[in-house]
Amino acid sequence: MSHRPAAPATSTTAAVRTPLTRRRVLTTSAAAAGAFALPGTAAWAVPTSFEAETRTGRRRPGAVTDPSVVIRWNQAAMDAILGRYQAAGNRFGPATVNARALAIVHNAIYDAWACYDRCAVGTRFGGALRRPRAERTLDNKNEAISYAAHLALLDLFPEYKVAIDNMLRSLGHDPELTNPRRNSPAWIGRRTAQAVLDYRHADGANQLGTPAYTDTTGYQPRNAPQIAGAFDPSTVTEPAHWTPLIVGGKTQRYLTPQFAVMQPFALSRPDQFTVAAPPAYPSVRMTAAIEELLDISANLTDEQKAIAEFWLNDDVTPPGAQQMWGRYVSARDGHGVDEDAQIFFGLNMAECDAAIGSWAVKRDYDFARPSTLIPYDQRGRQIRSWGGPGQGTVTMDGVDWQAYVAVPPFPATVSGHSTFSGAAAEFLRRFTGSDSFGDSYRFKAGASTVEPGLTPRTDVVLTWPTFSDAAHQAGISRVYGGMHWSFDNEPGIEMGHRIGKVVHRQAMRYFGGTHR
């Protein structure tokens, strides 16, 4: 009997569209004259059309053709995130730190923008810095937002000061301005951003630690590290708990366990929401979960491999995919700076609270990844499974089972990907008033990074008619990839939806000026 979870019927289609690359296409124009490069990344430029900011480039008739300054700074933040971890030689950035950085940048942007809105209030000053009606111009909003984002990015990514300064210059502002006139847009941007930064420096993430974001909880794994690809069951003392891997000679360390106790935005406490405990090991339920992943691995299709790799997000970083969702909505619905300031604020507060909530669950359960529990359970048994890049399905000793994709350094339950995606889907559904999405992506033949040149054999087009479809596919990708159990996924999506709901409710109070 097959235990493979089915992808939603709407997840793929043979429809032919002109694809864009996964990363935005940089256009050449006078507005991009301030372009520069970050180590290990593509050129960082001021995008000049919404086609450069979405996978499909589609937008409704009459929509504005240029991205708002909010989206431009969103891309700047993404490029800085990518530059940092790629310069360090890491394939993935820590999802928690990324989510927090995006939340800080967009909190600073929102608080600066709110000073020029007739009713919105900021998170730090409320309505105390509201500017008079005559000053609520687009130019003033853009300037205040840019100075706020600039200061936030300098605080988060000081190694990229030259790049961040150049970004501000490319938008027509002076990064060397040291004493802006009180209540000017530059002053408003810096004042609001500094208040956000002061608050976040004490939020429990340990940004100012040495090194930054080091663990403050004293976490110690219960099992000794295992060399990836050379599993030794004899050293495992508690197989149901997380085991760090040694990859390329480097031992994994639990990424940011302190986020489990970090200050959230809308949650009443980090563990406000949770999921059911993983099955006991050994148990009938756990045996079924293991059999499910063995069956998936033995029968991986090109579509499932494409889904597993697409949602790795190694070129946009978790929760970078959700930034793409927001950009697509902005292009589709013709957003300007007012809408973008709000939607990206709420979206990234949802992502940051999702990081906090999912890490609280991971701390509580400390549950094993399939990459260690399956080899432990199946040792000495002959199984059929994916045999490695280009090997297809082979017969092997169960101790040699491996996931299709790279496994990150923290416990399994609950899936962060699922929680991030559920939270984003729920916030965007509520903000836009509809679950309708409409974006798509063509995974080109041979574009696999796991099996380059071999997978997929033909193009696979992924489509997401709704935000819910996108969240479902992002979650199931972790099961297809072998890094998560099904009981990590669906509950994570549901928890994410609950987080998105409370974040939306809280954000609307700020937008409407009723927050106290």
Side-chain angles (χ1 to χ4, degrees), residues 13 47 179 322 412 427 480:
T13 178
N179 189 28
Q322 290 74 25
F427 176 81
Y480 292 158

Side-chain angles (χ1 to χ4, degrees), residues 22-104:
R22 174 69 178 272
R23 299 268 287 144
R24 85 242 187 272
V25 177
L26 291 173
T27 55
T28 303
S29 75
F36 51 89
L38 291 175
T41 70
W44 180 359
V46 180
T48 58
S49 77
F50 268 125
E51 186 172 356
E53 292 299 308
T54 69
R55 294 187 178 95
T56 63
R58 289 176 289 155
R59 53 186 181 271
R60 74 177 186 184
V64 293
T65 58
D66 291 336
S68 73
V69 71
V70 175
I71 286 181
R72 296 180 185 191
W73 283 107
N74 177 264
Q75 183 60 57
M78 290 303 306
D79 280 344
I81 289 169
L82 284 162
R84 172 173 287 175
Y85 75 76
Q86 290 181 357
N90 298 323
R91 184 174 182 185
F92 304 107
T96 48
V97 174
N98 297 342
R100 178 180 177 273
L102 288 162
I104 289 173

Side-chain angles (χ1 to χ4, degrees), residues 5-24:
T10 55
S11 65
T12 60
T13 178
V16 176
R17 295 187 178 89
T18 301
L20 298 180
T21 59
R22 174 69 178 272
R23 299 268 287 144
R24 85 242 187 272

Side-chain angles (χ1 to χ4, degrees), residues 63 218 413:
T413 307

Side-chain angles (χ1 to χ4, degrees), residues 204-409:
N206 198 25
Q207 177 192 339
L208 302 182
T210 307
Y213 306 107
T214 50
D215 178 26
T216 57
T217 68
Y219 174 86
Q220 293 294 325
R222 303 194 193 190
N223 296 303
Q226 291 280 346
I227 299 174
F231 189 81
D232 182 1
S234 67
T235 66
V236 177
T237 57
E238 298 189 53
H241 286 277
W242 182 64
T243 300
L245 298 176
I246 302 173
V247 182
K250 296 181 179 179
T251 301
Q252 290 182 337
R253 293 183 181 275
Y254 190 152
L255 281 178
T256 64
Q258 72 273 18
F259 272 65
V261 294
M262 189 179 128
Q263 179 65 41
F265 167 69
L267 301 180
S268 59
R269 60 183 190 278
D271 61 352
Q272 178 179 347
F273 300 121
T274 190
V275 303
Y281 178 80
S283 67
V284 172
R285 284 185 61 212
M286 199 63 236
T287 295
I290 290 171
E291 290 177 351
E292 176 185 54
L293 285 192
L294 292 177
D295 186 62
I296 290 170
S297 181
N299 296 281
L300 276 171
T301 65
D302 274 8
E303 177 185 338
Q304 289 170 336
K305 290 177 179 179
I307 289 171
E309 290 196 54
F310 175 84
W311 293 104
L312 279 176
N313 295 338
D314 58 350
D315 60 346
V316 292
T317 85
Q322 290 74 25
Q323 309 309 304
M324 301 294 189
W325 299 4
R327 293 184 197 176
Y328 182 85
V329 169
S330 178
R332 182 195 70 184
D333 296 350
H335 284 184
V337 68
D338 298 331
E339 296 89 351
D340 281 341
Q342 296 174 75
I343 195 172
F344 279 92
F345 168 74
L347 172 64
N348 285 296
M349 290 301 166
E351 296 305 273
C352 193
D353 274 13
I356 294 167
S358 59
W359 254 244
V361 177
K362 289 178 185 292
R363 176 199 62 181
D364 287 348
Y365 295 137
D366 191 48
F367 198 70
R369 293 266 181 183
S371 54
T372 56
L373 187 50
I374 289 179
Y376 180 86
D377 182 81
Q378 297 293 303
R379 66 194 187 279
R381 301 178 186 176
Q382 292 295 293
I383 65 170
R384 294 281 290 169
S385 185
W386 179 70
Q391 300 302 306
T393 301
V394 301
T395 300
M396 65 176 72
D397 188 302
V399 77
D400 295 323
W401 185 89
Q402 60 183 306
Y404 179 74
V405 297
V407 178

